[in-house]
Amino acid sequence: MKSLVWFRNDLRVADNSSLQKACQGDSVIAVYCIDPALFETGPYGFRKMEKYRAKFLLQTLGDLKKNLALLNISLLIYPRKAKDVIPDLIKKYEVDHVCLQKEWTRDELKELSEVREKCSENIEFIETYDQFLFHPEDIPFKNISDLPDIFTQFRKQCEKYARVRECLDIPEAKGPENILTESTPIPELKDLGFSPFEPHPHTAFPFQGGENTALARIEEYFWETKKLAYYKKTRNGLLGKDYSSKLSPWLANGSISARTIYREVKRFEKEIKKNQDTYWLIFELIWRDYFKYVSLKYGDSIFQLGGILKKDYSWNNSETARTSWINGTTSEPFVNANMIELAKTGWMSNRGRQNVASFWAKELKQDWRIGASYFEAMLIDYDVHSNWGNWMYNSGVGNDPRDRKFNIPRQAGMYDPQGKFQNRWLQPSLF
Ligand code: FAD
């Protein structure tokens, strides 16, 4: 039995269901395709992926290739569309089945159906949900249509009735005969149309991509500095790498699983300390799950102007507003500092994201999807569900039962009382 693991947003060897399943066969090959369409300009004027996430992805692939090599599995990487690569590989290597993480959003569904169309009907595609904390079979809602539209109801039910599955071990190594004679280089940034660059000296995310660096971050944040024990008190911070876990970029491309983080929190609670702060990291992971379930329930509505509520608000689309928001030259210094941080580093804190989104959608009343698309391009941790779900939430077309609008000067006063964050990013020398 020959298996092909088609890696997508599950770029890890530990706790990876598709890899586990594939390794039950006699021989395994692994493939990752970087769709060139990610770098074309989309309907809102942005590419889907800008340089920050592109670099992080290439670093992640480097790590994955090394980790798979330890299992005698070759990872082939192509900067091409999956449909132009995978069907040919299936034929060439006489693959019987393809193992992959199950996705349900528009682009991912299209990508899979294009591949399937070009494959013989005998090829089995084994799809597995592997991105959740609470597996869809374990949540206490019979049908996805029963999913509550209010987070707290979802969280309480899951905390009471669902349990997080155990992590899967790294599979046993295959024999050396499994290694392919063929190999592909890891693309460089310039192959994707970007110039090489160094991280900004003030970035709050000074980390590299990859499964090994994700584990190193847990080691640092949980075990060495024990910052996890203060997480709830610091999570609204704005400066430096330790006010929050910074695990989102690794979670987004699957170089670490939510289950692995959960298990590490539980181990920390047992061995070091259990408090509100340690619980709160799990609470946030449940938010992450929630937005995945929202998109599972509502499908493409998460990309539509009226959102999941089908609200008929009137929205503007002003080029001037867009330019000043992106460049950080609006009337609000706190918004500007956050937007400049994003442009310079690919990172923005959760507090910042909430404020700039609220300002864009509720103050300027601009089409919220433009803001979401800009975030999609720029964020190092872009995740389709979290991004579009949070944007809907902050724009009044999603799951916020209170439909709040942020008072930006008040927020700046509360979270940046001495203006340290604003001073950092608003210094003229940075331009
Ligand atoms: P921590 O505070 O350490 O939280 C731990 C983990 O919990 C995070 O890594 C993340 O996986 C999850 N989490 C925390 N807050 C949220 C949240 N509000 N929604 C969903 N999951 C959450 N997060 C993304 O991962 N990708 C995105 O594209 C994204 N876009 C966003 C857009 C807007 C407008 C807003 C308001 C929020 C967005 N978030 C997104 C959520 C949140 O801002 C980030 O997950 C968080 O800032 C990442 O930092 P951290 O890993 O240090 O988080």
Side-chain angles (χ1 to χ4, degrees):
M1 188 71 105
K2 286 195 178 165
S3 312
L4 182 148
V5 190
W6 176 7
F7 279 94
R8 301 210 282 180
N9 280 328
D10 55 346
L11 302 174
R12 60 181 184 273
V13 296
D15 195 26
N16 184 322
S17 304
S18 298
L19 183 64
Q20 275 281 341
K21 287 181 183 161
C23 283
Q24 285 160 16
D26 304 318
S27 63
V28 181
I29 57 175
V31 185
Y32 186 84
C33 299
I34 307 176
D35 187 342
L38 292 168
F39 310 105
E40 291 162 9
T41 306
Y44 301 108
F46 310 112
R47 301 192 238 205
K48 281 187 185 282
M49 192 189 288
E50 278 294 344
K51 64 179 182 179
Y52 298 112
R53 199 162 71 261
K55 186 172 177 177
F56 191 79
L57 172 64
L58 297 181
Q59 292 167 341
T60 305
L61 292 173
D63 238 24
L64 181 65
K65 191 170 174 158
K66 277 191 225 142
N67 288 346
L68 284 168
L70 296 174
L71 307 180
N72 290 326
I73 297 172
S74 307
L75 175 66
L76 301 173
I77 303 169
Y78 299 91
R80 297 168 60 196
K81 281 196 176 296
K83 71 178 164 83
D84 298 331
V85 170
I86 292 181
D88 292 343
L89 286 175
I90 289 175
K91 269 193 211 126
K92 183 172 169 187
Y93 290 105
E94 298 175 331
V95 164
D96 302 292
H97 60 242
V98 177
C99 301
L100 71 161
Q101 175 165 285
K102 188 168 176 62
E103 306 280 355
W104 55 92
T105 32
R106 193 177 54 199
D107 295 353
E108 288 73 16
L109 287 179
K110 183 165 171 259
E111 189 182 42
L112 175 58
S113 79
E114 285 172 352
V115 168
R116 291 187 86 141
E117 260 170 38
K118 291 177 77 177
C119 291
S120 140
E121 279 182 6
N122 302 330
I123 306 296
E124 198 188 352
F125 284 77
I126 304 173
E127 296 179 77
T128 316
Y129 287 120
D130 217 12
Q131 55 280 77
F132 289 94
L133 183 66
F134 297 116
H135 192 280
E137 284 165 15
D138 303 339
I139 57 168
F141 309 102
K142 213 163 172 208
N143 301 304
I144 189 66
S145 55
D146 301 332
L147 181 86
D149 286 332
I150 295 177
F151 168 70
T152 309
Q153 292 171 7
F154 167 80
R155 177 180 60 78
K156 287 191 171 159
Q157 293 282 313
C158 287
E159 285 176 341
K160 199 161 176 193
Y161 299 111
R163 53 170 277 284
V164 176
R165 294 185 178 187
E166 292 301 326
C167 295
L168 302 168
D169 291 334
I170 298 172
E172 276 185 27
K174 294 267 142 197
E177 69 285 351
N178 189 66
I179 301 169
L180 301 178
T181 45
E182 167 178 19
S183 88
T184 55
I186 298 168
E188 293 179 23
L189 265 183
K190 65 174 167 40
D191 302 321
L192 308 181
F194 302 109
S195 304
F197 68 96
E198 288 301 318
H200 193 284
H202 293 325
T203 183
F205 190 82
F207 308 105
Q208 300 222 344
E211 181 169 12
N212 300 341
T213 51
L215 295 172
R217 175 59 182 163
I218 291 188
E219 190 58 36
E220 180 189 39
Y221 188 77
F222 288 29
W223 302 102
E224 284 166 21
T225 64
K226 310 204 171 25
K227 293 264 158 60
L228 174 61
Y230 306 93
Y231 166 70
K232 186 161 183 265
K233 295 176 200 70
T234 59
R235 60 179 288 277
N236 279 307
L238 300 164
L239 282 166
K241 66 181 168 61
D242 286 337
Y243 60 80
S244 61
S245 76
K246 304 292 185 299
L247 288 168
S248 54
W250 290 289
L251 275 166
N253 72 18
S255 36
I256 193 155
S257 74
R259 291 181 295 255
T260 300
I261 299 173
Y262 175 87
R263 293 282 161 223
E264 284 290 297
V265 175
K266 289 286 153 197
R267 190 159 75 84
F268 185 92
E269 288 181 337
K270 213 165 150 198
E271 294 178 18
I272 309 286
K273 191 175 211 167
K274 179 178 170 140
N275 59 15
Q276 267 272 312
D277 300 75
T278 54
Y279 163 70
W280 215 260
L281 197 83
I282 295 172
F283 176 97
E284 294 299 340
L285 289 176
I286 303 176
W287 261 115
R288 175 179 173 273
D289 256 26
Y290 183 60
F291 284 123
K292 292 191 186 303
Y293 284 110
V294 168
S295 81
L296 203 51
K297 177 173 175 180
Y298 287 100
D300 277 2
S301 300
I302 67 166
F303 304 119
Q304 285 157 12
L305 193 56
I308 59 168
L309 298 182
K310 305 214 178 308
K311 288 275 185 192
D312 190 18
Y313 294 140
S314 82
W315 298 95
N316 300 308
N317 183 353
S318 147
E319 193 55 47
T320 320
R322 174 197 299 229
T323 311
S324 68
W325 186 70
I326 287 176
N327 293 340
T329 55
T330 71
S331 57
E332 289 292 352
F334 189 57
V335 169
N336 298 345
N338 277 292
M339 293 304 288
I340 291 168
E341 181 187 27
L342 178 63
K344 300 275 178 200
T345 68
W347 180 264
M348 193 191 291
S349 67
N350 185 53
R351 187 53 46 189
R353 294 179 203 201
Q354 289 175 312
N355 274 276
V356 305
S358 180
F359 182 74
W360 176 255
K362 291 198 165 156
E363 189 66 43
L364 302 180
K365 298 189 170 41
Q366 299 294 315
D367 182 339
W368 65 273
R369 297 169 306 172
I370 299 171
S373 299
Y374 180 65
F375 268 38
E376 173 166 354
M378 299 301 291
L379 280 178
I380 201 164
D381 66 2
Y382 170 73
D383 168 271
V384 55
H385 321 280
S386 289
N387 189 58
W388 292 82
N390 273 290
W391 265 97
M392 285 195 300
Y393 187 97
N394 282 279
S395 306
V397 297
N399 305 82
D400 183 2
R402 287 175 285 174
D403 194 7
R404 279 158 291 186
K405 178 178 162 184
F406 281 67
N407 177 333
I408 313 279
R410 190 162 168 265
Q411 289 272 314
M414 280 169 70
Y415 297 105
D416 190 26
Q418 280 126 33
K420 280 191 193 160
F421 172 75
Q422 290 165 84
N423 286 342
R424 167 152 292 173
W425 294 108
L426 299 177
Q427 288 164 27
S429 61
L430 282 172
F431 294 93

